[in-house]
Amino acid sequence: MWRVCFGFKRTLMTVNLLLAKISIFEFNVKVLRHWIQLTQLDVTICFVNDKGCVISKKENLRWISLVALVVQNTSLVLLLRYSRTMKAERYLSSTAIVTAEFIKGLVCVILVWLENDRSVSRLLRVLNEEIYAKPYDTSKLAIPSGLYAVQNNLLFVALSYLNAATYQVAYQLKILTTAIFSVLIMGKKVERHQWFSLCLLAIGVAFVTWPSSEEATKRIATQIQATWLQQAIGFGAVLLASVTSGFSGVYFEKILKTGSTSVWVRNIQLAFFGALFGLVIVVCVDYKPVMEKGFFQGYSTIVWIVIILQAMGGLIIATVIKYADNIIKGFATSLSIIFSSVISYFFLHDFSPSLFFYTGTVFVLSATFLYGWERKMTSSSVADQSRI
């Protein structure tokens, strides 16, 4: 009898402990739910018997792609800086862009092959049906590819006539142009506090990338003083680059989200036109060096890592645009600038933070929180949230 009572009490203790854990878990789920609402990434939450939640595969891809974009962008900035400053034969950036586009297209072909049960015949059929048999649909990707090429040339013109500080501040207008085109083309609703957060983000990124007094003195000493007409041309070039950046990003987002074509097939199309325009730039700008020393001159292990990171970045950005949007991508890119600067300060010792950097960091972090802030924290039903 004593053993039975002891066993019964033990069972009651176990049940009470389980109920306490369930209550704690439900509380954590509610906190997680409110925190996800703050990020405003529309994560689908489905409660199962009031004991847990399930986050959809699509939302997992959104989170993974955003984190991967921050990591990739931070790594790319650091390695790219190192590859351009190390004591070795200089590689041609124009050829590196073409190589990255080729690798991106090749990786996407492999991903399409994996999607089709590793069947070569099905892969060829998909490529034929989605690319060769749809020339008009494929040609749409020539617009963002061409705009990217124009944008890079405009930035080169802007840097030739503007000082670094003016260039950095003016180019952050691309954050606002992206939001404007998201409203005009995608019909996205942006609240007033979100517009304010985007302006705050643009100012914050400009402050973070503002050159120090020593860097500004060195650049002014080595830079040829431009006339007012040349400065106007440079400023007009960076403004046009901001417009093309915003339009091309949102245009690509609309293509990804308004069709049944796989994101990997779209990247194959984008890589094709990107490599094509890149080859044109190689011929126009670096034809002589390529003929003298070859296409892959100066390519080392670090350079190949940078190229692979650049190629992977294109895939990650496409995934972010597919499952989030260009505005969220802008926030992720801004955060990566801060992370790369912090790593440069603590590990590479080639960066000295200034008051502008600290102020800009506060602005960027505040803008990130403010963009996802909601005035009323209302809990929606399962049917309302599972709309994806």
Side-chain angles (χ1 to χ4, degrees):
M1 182 67 180
W2 178 82
R3 290 182 179 178
V4 173
C5 292
F6 178 76
F8 182 71
K9 290 181 179 179
R10 192 173 181 180
T11 303
L12 285 177
M13 291 175 62
T14 304
V15 171
N16 290 330
L17 182 61
L18 288 174
L19 290 174
K21 288 185 176 181
I22 290 172
S23 299
I24 295 173
F25 182 74
E26 289 177 349
F27 174 76
N28 290 333
V29 167
K30 292 179 180 178
V31 173
L32 176 63
R33 180 180 179 182
H34 288 306
W35 183 77
I36 290 172
Q37 287 177 345
L38 280 176
T39 60
Q40 207 177 18
L41 290 181
D42 298 331
V43 177
T44 303
I45 300 178
C46 303
F47 287 91
V48 182
N49 296 327
D50 296 329
K51 295 181 180 180
C53 65
V54 178
I55 300 179
S56 67
K57 182 178 178 181
K58 183 176 180 179
E59 306 308 328
N60 282 333
L61 286 174
R62 178 181 294 180
W63 278 103
I64 292 171
S65 60
L66 284 171
V67 174
L69 178 60
V70 174
V71 174
Q72 180 272 338
N73 218 335
T74 304
S75 305
L76 178 62
V77 169
L78 296 173
L79 287 175
L80 183 60
R81 183 186 304 172
Y82 177 73
S83 68
R84 300 301 287 181
T85 57
M86 64 181 182
K87 295 181 179 179
E89 183 183 1
R90 274 293 186 96
Y91 65 94
L92 300 175
S93 58
S94 59
T95 63
I97 293 173
V98 175
T99 307
E101 292 292 336
F102 177 80
I103 293 176
K104 182 176 73 174
L106 182 61
V107 171
C108 288
V109 170
I110 296 174
L111 290 173
V112 175
W113 173 65
L114 293 174
E115 278 186 343
N116 289 274
D117 301 327
R118 302 179 183 180
S119 172
V120 177
S121 59
R122 292 180 63 179
L123 167 66
L124 295 176
R125 185 171 68 251
V126 169
L127 295 180
N128 178 67
E129 292 176 353
E130 297 293 340
I131 299 177
Y132 182 76
K134 298 179 180 179
Y136 175 74
D137 193 53
T138 301
S139 63
K140 292 180 180 179
L141 274 299
I143 296 176
S145 296
L147 288 177
Y148 289 143
V150 171
Q151 174 187 336
N152 291 331
N153 285 276
L154 287 171
L155 294 179
F156 178 79
V157 173
L159 283 170
S160 301
Y161 297 132
L162 295 177
N163 59 67
T166 305
Y167 165 79
Q168 292 289 3
V169 173
Y171 192 46
Q172 300 318 314
L173 290 173
K174 66 181 181 180
I175 297 175
L176 300 179
T177 59
T178 300
I180 292 172
F181 283 118
S182 295
V183 173
L184 296 178
I185 298 177
M186 299 295 297
K188 182 178 179 62
K189 184 179 180 181
V190 181
E191 303 291 343
R192 291 183 180 179
H193 70 278
Q194 292 177 325
W195 282 113
F196 177 76
S197 70
L198 291 172
C199 295
L200 192 64
L201 179 67
I203 296 172
V205 174
F207 279 3
V208 167
T209 55
W210 192 279
S212 62
S213 57
E214 296 179 359
E215 293 176 346
T217 303
K218 291 179 181 179
R219 291 175 182 177
I220 291 174
T222 57
Q223 190 178 32
I224 300 175
Q225 294 297 323
T227 64
W228 68 270
L229 180 59
Q230 291 174 328
Q231 290 180 354
I233 293 174
F235 193 73
V238 75
L239 288 180
L240 190 56
S242 300
V243 174
T244 57
S245 174
F247 176 78
S248 58
V250 176
Y251 180 83
F252 184 49
E253 178 183 351
K254 185 175 180 63
I255 292 177
L256 286 177
K257 292 183 176 180
T258 55
S260 58
T261 305
S262 168
V263 63
W264 311 128
V265 174
R266 291 300 189 191
N267 268 282
I268 293 173
Q269 298 169 332
L270 193 65
F272 170 76
F273 288 109
L276 185 63
F277 286 114
L279 286 173
V280 173
I281 294 175
V282 170
V283 173
C284 296
V285 178
D286 294 319
Y287 177 78
K288 187 176 180 180
V290 168
M291 296 304 294
E292 290 178 353
K293 296 184 179 181
F295 190 86
F296 298 104
Q297 57 180 288
Y299 278 39
S300 61
T301 304
I302 294 295
V303 175
W304 278 109
I305 294 175
V306 169
I307 291 173
I308 292 173
L309 278 175
Q310 183 73 29
M312 295 302 102
L315 302 180
I316 295 171
I317 288 174
T319 307
V320 170
I321 293 175
K322 174 72 175 180
Y323 297 108
D325 56 47
N326 274 281
I327 299 178
I328 299 298
K329 184 200 78 173
F331 279 95
T333 305
S334 303
L335 291 174
S336 68
I337 295 175
I338 296 176
F339 290 151
S340 60
S341 300
V342 171
I343 294 174
S344 296
Y345 174 72
F346 284 104
F347 297 100
L348 301 181
H349 307 292
D350 61 350
F351 171 73
S352 298
S354 61
L355 181 61
F356 279 113
F357 177 80
Y358 292 120
T359 306
T361 300
V362 173
F363 281 8
V364 170
L365 296 179
S366 301
T368 304
F369 176 80
L370 182 61
Y371 184 81
W373 176 75
E374 292 183 355
R375 296 182 180 180
K376 294 182 180 180
M377 300 294 296
T378 55
S379 57
S380 54
S381 62
V382 177
D384 293 334
Q385 293 184 17
S386 58
R387 60 180 179 276
I388 298 179

